[in-house]
């Protein structure tokens, strides 16, 4: 790998980390404040996590009341709204940025 591609790869990894760190792990985008996805769980510290994170897009899911859930990357939801989204680190950032994400 050339020095330039290695530098680019590091830059991408840093950007990905920055992006991931914006999440406040509230679970609202997975329905925490309404009808949660059945795969949504909370750690002892209260941080939301997905029980099937690595395969969340590959499987069909339901909410606790039995409604189908189409799991999509959060960036695909940023133009929509959901209960609790005013606390979402990605949406707050998008609101502050005039050019959007
Ligand atoms: S499957 Fe998707 S919607 Fe369900 S908890 Fe996991 S990330 Fe959230
Ligand atoms: S609503 Fe935003 S901050 Fe909360 S878990 Fe989803 S992506 Fe993370």
């Amino acid at each position: 790998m050339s020095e330039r591609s290695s530098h680019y790869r590091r830059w991408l990894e840093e950007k990905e980390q920055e992006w991931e760190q914006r999440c406040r792990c509230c679970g609202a985008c997975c329905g925490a404040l309404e009808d949660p996805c059945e795969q949504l769980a909370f750690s002892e510290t209260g941080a939301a996590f997905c029980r099937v994170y690595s395969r969340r897009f590959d499987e069909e899911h339901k909410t606790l009341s039995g409604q189908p859930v189409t799991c999509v990357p959060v960036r695909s939801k940023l133009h929509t709204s959901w209960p609790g989204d005013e606390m979402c680190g990605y949406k707050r950032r998008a609101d502050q940025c005039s050019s959007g994400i």
Side-chain angles (χ1 to χ4, degrees):
M1 184 183 296
S2 72
E3 187 176 333
R4 189 170 173 167
S5 58
S6 164
H7 179 75
Y8 179 61
R9 187 177 176 147
R10 273 202 306 278
W11 181 84
L12 281 178
E13 287 170 357
E14 285 170 14
K15 288 295 162 197
E16 187 176 345
Q17 273 190 353
E18 277 177 31
W19 174 256
E20 296 284 335
Q21 285 169 0
R22 288 184 200 169
C23 179
R24 305 160 75 102
C25 299
C26 65
C29 59
C30 300
L33 301 181
E34 41 183 344
D35 184 15
C37 175
E38 62 189 355
Q39 303 299 351
L40 180 64
F42 290 88
S43 72
E44 288 178 3
T45 61
F49 67 93
C50 175
R51 291 190 181 94
V52 294
Y53 188 78
S54 63
R55 37 179 223 282
R56 63 197 186 284
F57 303 135
D58 304 332
E59 299 176 350
E60 292 182 5
H61 310 290
K62 292 181 300 199
T63 65
L64 292 183
S65 75
Q67 298 301 308
V69 171
T70 302
C71 187
V72 296
V74 70
R75 65 177 173 274
S76 303
K77 294 185 67 168
L78 291 179
H79 65 287
T80 69
S81 61
W82 59 90
D85 67 352
E86 68 277 5
M87 294 302 292
C88 177
Y90 297 113
K91 292 202 89 169
R92 288 164 72 96
R93 174 70 182 227
D95 290 345
Q96 291 164 5
C97 179
S98 59
S99 60
I101 295 177

